[in-house]
Amino acid sequence: MAGDVFPRAVTNGLVSEVPEGTAKPVYSAGPPPDEGLGLLAEAVTTSGAPLPDNALADAAHAAAQLPADPRLRSIAFTAWLVATSAVEGLSMQPLLDRLAAAAGRQLALDQDALLVEIHAYAAADPRFTELPPAASVNRQLALAGAFIGSDDVTIWRVGHAGEVEQIAQLESAKGGENMALVATAAIGHATEQWFDGDELIGAVPISRWQQPVAAIVARLPRSAASARTAAAILRATATRLAQVLEREMLLERNAAHDEILTATADRRLVRLGYDLHDGPTQDLIVLAGDLERLRRQISEHGLVDSKIDSAFAELHRRIEATDESLRELAHSLQPQTIVERPLGTLLGRELERLRERYSIDGTLNVIGDVDDLTATQRITIFRTVQEALTNVREHSCATSASVTVTVDERSIAVRVSDDGIGFDVTSSLESARLRGRMGVAGIGERVRILGGIFSIDSKPGGPTTVRATLPRWRPPATDASGG
């Protein structure tokens, strides 16, 4: 992008790179590794930072995987704890300040150089990759913001209209025209850009296949040391964000493919629903009429007594119940029904039907917002539970079943358990395949198409548990009613 797109005053404030000359750190031998980690652990305790119960033990384990070098282990220990705070979405500034100060005293290491090293370890933590792309981006921004001392860190990209647009930011980020201009320069020139006018702003391009696709931009505190440190931290963050954006692109491409496959399966189910409504349900109406005519004919010949009349009434009741079941099944096969109604209500009705018609007690536990999912995810959850409960009532001889759906930032987990007689999973699935009974196998395939994991845990004598786990991901700009 040509440089003359900027007003002259702004162009003159841009430099392509940060001044060189960062001092090389000088290391001391430091205390023995165990003693050093103990001092850092004490700093964590006095910081009052909220951390998971096992965080210190996990950090010590991570440090122990490195060579017995006090510097490496102290940095790894610190980075693990800071990354834990970032991944969990916790406040990390007090923890980072205490740990960096303690590690700096312990290692006699320049503070800015130490921050760069700790950040490099923390940003590379594999736990970031377990998050959905949007959450991973947010956590990496928060991590970078804590290290550079700025709460105004944003990501910009070129939109469809050719102008840069802000696509991610820390909660308190202000953005602004200067940040947009610096982001445009960084993306257009594929180089770092720094604006030193009324405010200090740095931008580092985020590249994919060596082409700039976005930029991370931060409004920075004013000091040369901070600028050099921020430059290194923003570079490391841009590298990590490029990997996240690559993963998001793959997910988008897979999602488009998945939507085609799942939409095809749903169209078949819709057709099956129509066929049930127009075929077997209509036949049942005719059958009920024929049965009533037969009862009247027998009655006219004086052949009906109380037992025969009761038998006719029972047959009529069973026909009505079957007709109602088929109509409900036909209705449940309509994906729009699942999309429009609260998922918890639909799952509760499935368990209520199980209890009323088959005397199998059921419990439902929904954790998280199941209605803030894509249509495909909701349909897959419902189909999984529906098919699992069908097997409970038809094969398990169970007296109770439980359904648990858990939605968190990382995943969507479904578990259906029963106290029935169980079965040998391998032989039963093979037998079902040979008989053309592909219900559970079909659900497993649907889950795997969406990038999930499906499993059945059972044995003769029981119990049986069906599990499905989907990645918690939403395509950009997709609302809850979308695919």
Side-chain angles (χ1 to χ4, degrees):
M1 184 180 297
D4 59 6
V5 299
F6 300 100
R8 181 170 299 278
V10 176
T11 304
N12 290 339
L14 294 169
V15 294
S16 61
E17 56 186 40
V18 177
E20 298 292 337
T22 303
K24 298 293 182 183
V26 179
Y27 305 120
S28 67
D34 290 344
E35 180 184 346
L37 297 189
L39 294 173
L40 292 174
E42 183 179 347
V44 173
T45 303
T46 58
S47 74
L51 282 169
D53 293 339
N54 59 344
L56 286 173
D58 289 344
H61 177 75
Q65 308 308 306
L66 297 175
D69 179 296
R71 180 183 66 87
L72 287 178
R73 289 194 170 184
S74 293
I75 289 173
F77 182 86
T78 301
W80 179 273
L81 291 171
V82 175
T84 298
S85 292
V87 169
E88 296 296 331
L90 304 172
S91 173
M92 68 191 87
Q93 198 68 62
L95 175 68
L96 175 60
D97 292 344
R98 286 294 184 92
L99 281 173
R105 290 192 302 269
Q106 171 191 322
L107 301 172
L109 183 62
D110 174 80
Q111 187 77 359
D112 288 321
L114 178 63
L115 286 176
V116 171
E117 289 206 49
I118 294 172
H119 176 268
Y121 271 86
D125 193 296
R127 288 173 292 177
F128 284 107
T129 64
E130 298 173 2
L131 296 169
S136 183
V137 167
N138 180 269
R139 300 297 197 269
Q140 287 282 4
L141 289 184
L143 185 71
F147 274 84
I148 65 178
S150 173
D151 59 0
D152 206 348
V153 186
T154 58
I155 298 179
W156 300 72
R157 72 177 177 190
V158 178
H160 297 300
E163 297 182 354
V164 294
E165 58 185 9
Q166 186 173 302
I167 60 171
Q169 65 282 323
L170 293 180
E171 194 171 307
S172 56
K174 304 176 186 66
E177 181 180 355
N178 286 341
M179 295 188 85
L181 292 173
V182 180
T184 301
I187 297 172
H189 300 311
T191 58
E192 296 176 16
Q193 300 290 327
W194 295 83
F195 172 72
D196 191 3
D198 296 336
E199 52 192 358
L200 179 61
I201 299 175
V204 176
I206 300 171
S207 298
R208 197 167 65 204
W209 296 312
Q210 299 181 333
Q211 295 295 319
V213 294
I216 178 171
V217 186
R219 188 174 278 109
L220 303 169
R222 283 192 171 278
S223 82
S226 295
R228 288 194 296 269
T229 302
I233 289 170
L234 291 178
R235 289 186 204 112
T237 304
T239 299
R240 298 301 166 187
L241 291 177
Q243 297 169 359
V244 176
L245 293 176
E246 175 71 15
R247 184 160 60 98
E248 184 172 40
M249 184 199 71
L250 292 173
L251 283 172
E252 288 180 12
R253 187 174 65 188
N254 288 341
H257 179 63
D258 298 344
E259 289 298 327
I260 294 173
L261 293 176
T262 53
T264 300
D266 287 333
R267 282 196 294 272
R268 291 174 179 171
L269 290 174
V270 170
R271 177 60 183 272
L272 176 59
Y274 286 135
D275 288 345
L276 284 173
H277 182 273
D278 296 337
T281 55
Q282 301 304 315
D283 292 341
L284 282 173
I285 294 174
V286 174
L287 179 59
D290 290 343
L291 186 66
E292 179 59 23
R293 280 192 295 273
L294 178 60
R295 191 194 68 79
R296 286 200 304 266
Q297 291 172 0
I298 294 177
S299 179
E300 289 172 357
H301 288 81
L303 300 176
V304 175
D305 58 21
S306 60
K307 290 184 178 180
I308 294 177
D309 198 53
S310 296
F312 272 107
E314 175 62 17
L315 286 173
H316 193 77
R317 187 195 64 77
R318 289 168 61 184
I319 290 174
E320 287 182 338
T322 303
D323 176 65
E324 183 181 355
S325 295
L326 284 175
R327 290 180 185 277
E328 288 180 352
L329 177 59
H331 190 61
S332 72
L333 292 175
Q334 306 294 323
Q336 199 60 30
T337 299
I338 305 170
V339 172
E340 292 175 349
R341 297 184 180 180
L343 185 57
T345 301
L346 292 173
L347 297 177
R349 286 185 59 189
E350 291 294 310
L351 287 168
E352 184 179 345
R353 193 173 296 121
L354 193 72
R355 182 168 49 252
E356 290 177 350
R357 297 184 182 173
Y358 303 96
S359 299
I360 301 175
D361 291 330
T363 58
L364 174 64
N365 188 21
V366 177
I367 304 169
D369 188 358
V370 293
D371 292 313
D372 186 33
L373 303 174
T374 68
T376 302
Q377 290 167 344
R378 278 181 279 171
I379 291 170
T380 301
I381 292 171
F382 179 77
R383 298 287 185 228
T384 300
V385 173
Q386 189 181 48
E387 183 62 34
L389 293 181
T390 296
N391 287 337
V392 168
R393 71 172 185 255
E394 291 184 356
H395 307 297
S396 72
C397 299
T399 60
S400 66
S402 65
V403 175
T404 302
V405 180
T406 304
V407 178
D408 59 26
E409 192 176 44
R410 293 176 175 83
S411 62
I412 307 158
V414 182
R415 187 184 70 214
V416 182
S417 301
D418 68 72
D419 62 356
I421 60 175
F423 59 94
D424 181 88
V425 176
T426 302
S427 61
S428 295
L429 290 180
E430 178 62 17
S431 175
R433 185 189 68 81
L434 294 175
R435 290 183 288 117
R437 299 286 301 274
M438 299 299 290
V440 172
I443 293 299
E445 186 60 28
R446 177 189 281 263
V447 170
R448 283 185 282 270
I449 283 175
L450 295 180
I453 300 171
F454 180 82
S455 66
I456 303 174
D457 181 18
S458 186
K459 60 183 179 180
T464 297
T465 300
V466 175
R467 291 184 177 87
T469 304
L470 299 173
R472 180 74 167 91
W473 181 75
R474 177 185 297 284
T478 298
D479 60 22
S481 63

